[in-house]
Amino acid sequence: MQKFILVVIALLLFLTIYAQSSYIDELLFAAKNGDTDAQYELGRIYYEGKLVPRNLYEAVKWLALAADNGNSAAQCDLGWCYFKGEGIEKNAVEAARWWRIAARQGNPDAQYLYGWCLDNGYGVAENKTEAAQWYQKAANKGNSYAQNNLGFKYFAGEGVEQNYYLAVSWWLNAAEQGNSDAMYNLAVCYENGLGVPKNQQEAEKWYRIAQEQEKKTKGNLIVINQLKKSGIYYPSLESVTTPSSLTTELKSEKAKTSDESIEKAVSPAPISPKKPEAIEPQKPATPAPKVPIYPTTAEEMYEWGMKYYQGEGVPQDYKEAVRWWLMAAEKGDARAQYSLGICYKNGRGVEKDDKEAIRWYMLAAEQGEPRAQYNLGVCYKFGIGVPKDYDEAVKWYRLAAQQGHPQAQCNLGVCYANGEGVAKDLEEAYFWFSLAEVNGNKTAAENRALLEDELTEEQKERIKERVQKWIINR
């Protein structure tokens, strides 16, 4: 009996192979005789490696023949091959050209992809208005990626007149097709009452559905897993610590872990549209891979890094924070430069490197970032990553102090009290301690009290007037 079963299996296998071979032979015959559907099908078979060994060069050959003969699906897939550099050299201009040709024939995937090219200046001149028009064409035919991007166009007023109601409408269409980005955008709208009545329960529902959809489609959670609030405030990074005392009498201010300021998220707007969730040559029913668009401005990159640093809405990841801050810093964002200094000082997301910390502090300080100026003062004062230099310490303390940084004001007062980097001047020390105390610095208050008996009432009255003028002028 077992022998009989094996014979049957072998026969079925033979018949299957024979049938596949026969099908390929028929396709080849038809394709060589100019049948564009057969040419396209052969291209897909070679691309996917179904029925024949995968061969990207053969795939491109047959796709190109079908594309030249006007097959819009082949034109779209050939554009993808140029986009990916698969079977042919990567070429943005050719990718955009083939997507445009297919789009003009009404292919919705190509309309979406050509819209993306116009939106991002990929292979063509950037044109937000025309991009929106192509998204509209594809969206009308049910392309969920185009619907999501068109929704963002209406939300942001890019290439179209801003209209939150239309944004919500298109995101609803995309969400119903399982587009998790549109689901997240809907949640933001419900949470903030943009285009729909404000409804926290509905917002939470869409956040939850978006998360579940991402888990299904990508195997990991990339959607924000903590409900976002309009006008989120993110704590700023801590400054480097200093010793508890500079002398046996006077104390230098320790840097607090939350520093003196709080950074605010600039916008509660939904996430940006995605880069081409380009449809690889495959059956339309197969979900296309997605390539997310990330923040593009230095400000957005800085905020993205802060989210990863603090674990706000995403898993805490110092390396990812550093990656975003590097991009923002290279664009000249002083906050990102300062934050990188903190990371290098504390070995968070990068190897601890005091010299590299100094380099980033310096870049930020030269742009007027007071926290970086203060940290440079600390580093020069104690020889952290640089040789000790009291003159340089005073210089950077002073720049930060003049911007109202209370720790810098306190430490500048200590320098005057001890004659470090400046001539000893108890009156000037008392002045800076008084300013720092006004700004809530308790160490400065203790230091000022220590100098009470060292100054005359006339001197203290004169300093009090200086402090009042300084506050008024600020």
Side-chain angles (χ1 to χ4, degrees), residues 49 131 151 305 356-357 447:
E356 192 66 9
N447 287 347

Coordinates of all heavy atoms in Angstrom, one line a residue, residues 49 131 151 305 356-357 447:
G49 N 10.1 34.5 -9.1 CA 10.7 33.2 -9.0 C 9.7 32.1 -8.9 O 10.0 31.1 -8.2
A131 N 1.1 66.9 -7.2 CA 1.1 65.6 -6.4 C -0.3 65.4 -5.9 O -0.8 64.2 -5.9 CB 2.1 65.8 -5.3
G151 N -5.3 62.8 2.4 CA -5.8 63.3 3.7 C -4.9 64.2 4.3 O -5.2 65.3 4.9
G305 N 13.9 62.8 18.3 CA 15.0 62.3 19.2 C 14.6 62.4 20.7 O 14.9 61.5 21.5
E356 N 34.3 64.5 22.8 CA 33.2 64.6 21.8 C 32.1 65.4 22.4 O 31.4 66.2 21.7 CB 32.7 63.3 21.4 CG 31.8 63.3 20.2 CD 32.5 63.7 18.9 OE1 33.7 63.9 18.9 OE2 31.8 63.9 17.9
A357 N 31.9 65.3 23.7 CA 30.8 66.0 24.4 C 31.2 67.5 24.3 O 30.3 68.4 24.0 CB 30.7 65.6 25.9
N447 N 24.8 80.8 49.6 CA 26.1 81.5 49.4 C 26.0 83.0 49.7 O 26.9 83.7 50.2 CB 26.6 81.3 48.0 CG 27.1 79.9 47.7 OD1 27.4 79.2 48.7 ND2 27.3 79.5 46.5

